Every structure is written in structure tokens, then in C-alpha cells.
Amino acid sequence: MELRGHLDLMLLSSLRQLGSAHGYAIIVALRDGSDGVFDLPEGTVYPALHRLERAGLVNSDWDTSGARRRRVYRLTTDGTAALAAKQREWHAFAHGMRALIAPTASEGLA
Amino acid sequence: MTDSDVDRYLDRLFDGLAGTGGVGRRALVEVEDHLRTSVAERVDHGMSHEDAERSAVASFGDVRMVARRLRAGHRQARRAAAASSAWLVVALACAAAAASVLLTVADRLWEAARGPSWGDCVASSPCDVAGETGYLLPIGVTLAVVSAVLLVSRHLLQRRARVATSARRLPVLLAVLCALLTPVLLTSFGGDPVTVNSAVVGANGPGLFMTVVASAVTAAASIAAIGWALLAQRRRANA
């Protein structure tokens, strides 16, 4: 499935649900939360997370409580606002697309 | 002893991220943690260690693609931060220019209120108050409006994730720039800052006082900005 352009929305949504999480947990949440539909190449997630962090939408810290150091990400206030804006855009897009590809009355009768 | 699939992958990623500094080192630590976790999970599900490593590396994606994306993201973010910083600097420059012009207008009006016998009307030209404020006031107001529009639009676009945050080093760069520009501006007219200020804003009016206050505020803000930036840098280094 082509995910270009939707990855940011997916990552921000996952982080809102998870609260704070490291990259591996985010990928697992994306895969499991979409019933396996979004089983994206795992290596694409980290560049996207770094980009979101530089854009100020997420921040991160090292978590040293476990056996290995882990970078843990969480949404910022700007990230929460951006997520709301992207959700509105997505719903408008999905609404328009549904209307466009839905069968017309004549097709339905044929 | 031969390298495992994960070790080979990390070595190739290390080569692919050469020159990216701290960003690359951080990415390497994250990728290693990811791959080790992924391998451990696969082993827990019954895979052999060798198969788990092969599978984890394959799921992560082609190492050249990952390195390319990390480098591209790094470059894009730097460009976006530079554009955002430039936007902010232009807005702040307009605000500073607006404040300067409007303070000059206030100074001229204050001097005019002191009466026609004001002593330095030739040097600071308050004799034609109406003419001077007549062209300065629209300039000051225009600059203030432009600055406000730039700052508000940048803030709104940032909230919609259309504009990146400015570069982390921007406060320090601005502070250094201001610190370098202040003596240049004060001395380039004739060498003596007091004489220069007397000529520009009048020796006996409030202009000189305002200039001194503004300089003190600027100096304090510069020192505070540098201190804040150094503290933030230390906190990040300790994190």
C-alpha cells in the first residue's frame, strides 16, 4: 500500500495513543493497530521520526532504565495541534474520495 | 569470528552515515536497539538466532535506502530550519526598525512640546516636527504591521506544521550579531558614541536617555540569550 504523505499522520496518531514510545514500539503499534495493513519497511520510520522532531512536532529523550539506551518519543503541544489539523485534512480527503469513487445511481441500477 | 548479519548491517549503515555527526551516531544507536529487540522477539517466537537476524535485517529495509533517507531528512531539516530562521530574523528586524522609527517620532514630538527654543534643533532637526514625523510615522507603522504579519503568520503556520522551528543556535547567532553590530553602528558615524548619539537624537532630549536604556536592554537580552543557549546545550549533552 502506498503510504507516501500519510506516514506523518500515522506516526503522530500512534504517539498520541501510546503516550511515549521508542521506534520499535511505534512500528509494532502501527502494524498491530492496522491489522497488519501498514507493515511498512521499518527503516523508513526513523528518518520520519527525526524529521518530525526537527519540525518540533515530537520530542525525544534517552531512556537508560533498561539494558540498552533507547530513544523515547512523545508528542509536543505543536505536534498535538498538527495532528488535529492533519486529521481534519484526512477526513476531508476521505470524504471527497468516497464521494468520487462511490458508484452512481445509474451504475448501481445497471 | 565472523560478523553477524546485524553487525554487518550496522557497519554498512555507519559507512552510509559518514559525515552526519551526532545525528548519524544517534541513528546508529536507535537502529542497533531496534534490530537487537527485533531479533530477540523473533528468537522468543522460536526462530534460530541466525534466521532471526536475517529476518530482522530484511524487515528493516535496504541499508543504502535507510542511510539515504536519514541523510536526506537531515539536509531537508537543515534547509527548513534555515528558512524558518530567516523568516524570524526578517520579522524581528522589521520590529526593531519599527521600534526605532516610532521612538524617533516620539522623541521629536516630545522635543517639539518643549517649545521652539529647543537648543539643538539643527543637530537633531526637531524644528520641522510636522514634516519629519509626517514621513517617519507611516514608515514606522508600516514596519510594525509587516513585522506583526510575519510573526503571526509564522506562528499560525508552525501550529499547522507548515513551517519548521528556527535553528537551535539562532538566539546565540542573533546575540553575537547584535553584539558585533552595536559598536559598529555607534562608532561608524564619527568615533565617539556620545557625540554620535547627541547628533542623532539630541544631547538634552530624552533620545539619548532612550538610546542608553535601549542599549542596556539589548546587552542584557544578548547576555541572557547566550546564557540560555549554553544551558540548553549543556542539558542536551547531559541527556
Side-chain angles (χ1 to χ4, degrees):
Chain A
M1 177 172 284
E2 178 60 63
L3 297 175
R4 193 185 299 265
H6 306 307
L7 187 56
D8 289 2
L9 174 58
M10 291 160 57
L11 292 174
L12 293 173
S13 296
S14 288
L15 276 173
R16 186 192 54 188
Q17 287 164 13
L18 294 169
S20 63
H22 51 84
Y24 188 82
I26 295 170
I27 291 164
V28 170
L30 280 176
R31 187 178 59 220
D32 295 350
S34 65
D35 292 332
V37 174
F38 299 144
D39 192 9
L40 58 164
E42 295 162 8
T44 59
V45 167
Y46 291 93
L49 283 170
H50 293 185
R51 180 167 41 74
L52 290 174
E53 183 170 13
R54 288 204 189 87
L57 304 185
V58 304
N59 60 24
S60 67
D61 287 305
W62 288 111
D63 174 18
T64 53
S65 59
R68 281 192 297 270
R69 279 207 311 165
R70 282 184 154 169
R71 198 75 184 177
V72 175
Y73 295 87
R74 66 188 63 80
L75 274 184
T76 62
T77 311
D78 284 350
T80 306
L83 172 60
K86 284 178 183 295
Q87 281 176 323
R88 282 194 298 274
E89 281 177 19
W90 169 254
H91 286 306
F93 173 81
H95 175 77
M97 187 59 82
R98 262 198 307 272
L100 197 64
I101 64 176
T104 61
S106 58
E107 283 174 340
L109 293 171
Chain B
M1 183 177 158
T2 56
D3 284 345
S4 68
D5 282 354
V6 168
D7 289 335
R8 271 197 299 275
Y9 190 94
L10 291 171
D11 283 346
R12 291 179 64 196
L13 185 61
F14 177 82
D15 292 341
L17 294 177
T20 54
V23 174
R25 285 195 296 276
R26 174 182 147 183
L28 272 171
V29 172
E30 284 190 284
V31 173
E32 179 172 12
D33 171 56
H34 179 106
L35 290 175
R36 305 274 183 223
T37 306
S38 184
V39 168
E41 210 162 81
R42 283 166 163 80
V43 169
D44 285 346
H45 282 85
M47 269 193 191
S48 70
H49 196 80
E50 289 73 20
D51 287 346
E53 288 216 346
R54 204 170 302 123
S55 171
V57 163
S59 292
F60 203 79
D62 178 58
V63 68
R64 285 168 302 183
M65 178 272 291
V66 174
R68 196 169 56 242
R69 287 191 182 206
L70 284 167
R71 295 180 75 97
H74 182 51
R75 276 197 304 273
Q76 274 177 359
R78 286 180 69 172
R79 278 199 292 268
S84 174
S85 303
W87 189 332
L88 182 61
V89 167
V90 171
L92 292 177
C94 286
S100 171
V101 171
L102 292 175
L103 278 173
T104 303
V105 170
D107 174 62
R108 297 294 184 262
L109 291 173
W110 191 87
E111 288 181 353
R114 293 283 301 266
S117 61
W118 189 245
D120 58 352
C121 71
V122 174
S124 59
S125 61
C127 294
D128 182 17
V129 173
E132 198 171 8
T133 56
Y135 80 88
L136 281 180
L137 192 57
I139 293 174
V141 171
T142 304
L143 285 169
V145 169
V146 169
S147 167
V149 167
L150 286 173
L151 287 171
V152 170
S153 59
R154 182 176 177 276
H155 177 72
L156 291 176
L157 288 172
Q158 265 188 333
R159 286 186 67 85
R160 293 175 64 86
R162 303 287 191 213
V163 174
T165 51
S166 51
R168 281 176 178 169
R169 292 196 178 100
L170 185 65
V172 174
L173 290 175
L174 279 180
V176 170
L177 187 68
C178 289
L180 290 174
L181 275 179
T182 303
V184 170
L185 291 173
L186 281 177
T187 57
S188 62
F189 293 105
D192 180 1
V194 175
T195 307
V196 171
N197 279 301
S198 297
V200 175
V201 297
N204 301 313
L208 188 57
F209 172 72
M210 282 195 264
T211 303
V212 170
V213 171
S215 300
V217 170
T218 305
S222 299
I223 292 167
I226 292 172
W228 173 79
L230 289 174
L231 276 176
Q233 194 173 22
R234 182 168 292 184
R235 272 202 299 271
R236 279 198 301 276
N238 291 335

